[in-house]
Amino acid sequence: VWELVARSGKVTMFMLPPFTVVAKYIANDALSGVLWINLGLTLYRAMLGFLIAAVGGIALATAMSRFKLVRWFFDPIISVAFPMPKIAFLPVIMLLLGVYDVSKISIVVFDAIFPVVTATLAGIAAVEKELLWSARNMGANERELTWQVVLPAASPQILTGLQVALPIALIVEIIAEMVMGGYGLGGAMMSASRFANSTGVFAGIVEIAIVG
């Protein structure tokens, strides 16, 4: 349909380049190696940010569930920040950390950690009390209780939080690359846009869709 509409004469090549032209553009980028550099950097930043958010979010939520002081400090912050679009902090992170990998990974972590924390807290809160009582009666200490009972029982909720955080990590990374520039799928799209390279922009859309 895309190919037929593009070649129908109803739209210009600039407005909608044919799919075959876009596919050829992607193939040329792949052969030249540019595609793999951009793809590799985007996935590296997004996945590293996601990994840090996953580990940090689960650890923070576990600490909040065990220590009242930690919960007292972080609960208001999470309650206020969770519903707001964290991408609004991107200019602040750029001012503090620059426009290189550290800032891009940092904004991914900052955005992706919230669903992990909230899902883990919900999962821990929903663990059946009978499991905890049974483990304590069999002599489990708090560390064993956390690792062998609480986290395994909460794992379905935790995985749900990770499923939410993963696409957020990719979306935020693409946005960060679009704003900051440099190598990456988002940066390549914005570079093509600045030079009125419509085919390059649509190629970026297809590449991001496949990665997603």
Side-chain angles (χ1 to χ4, degrees), residues 15-107:
M15 291 172 61
L16 184 67
F19 176 75
T20 50
V21 175
V22 172
K24 185 178 179 181
Y25 187 96
I26 295 171
N28 289 336
D29 273 358
L31 290 172
S32 68
V34 173
L35 173 62
W36 308 118
I37 293 171
N38 290 329
L39 179 61
L41 283 170
T42 296
L43 287 177
Y44 157 70
R45 295 167 186 146
M47 293 303 100
L48 180 58
F50 169 73
L51 182 62
I52 295 170
V55 175
I58 294 170
L60 176 58
T62 304
M64 287 174 66
S65 69
R66 286 188 59 186
F67 305 109
K68 289 182 179 179
L69 183 62
V70 177
R71 189 172 190 114
W72 171 83
F73 181 81
F74 283 103
D75 194 52
I77 297 172
I78 292 168
S79 299
V80 171
F82 182 72
M84 72 173 292
K86 271 72 70 181
I87 197 68
F89 285 90
L90 183 57
V92 177
I93 289 176
M94 288 172 64
L95 285 172
L96 296 175
L97 301 176
V99 294
Y100 301 104
D101 281 5
V102 173
S103 55
K104 292 170 182 172
I105 294 168
S106 297
I107 191 64

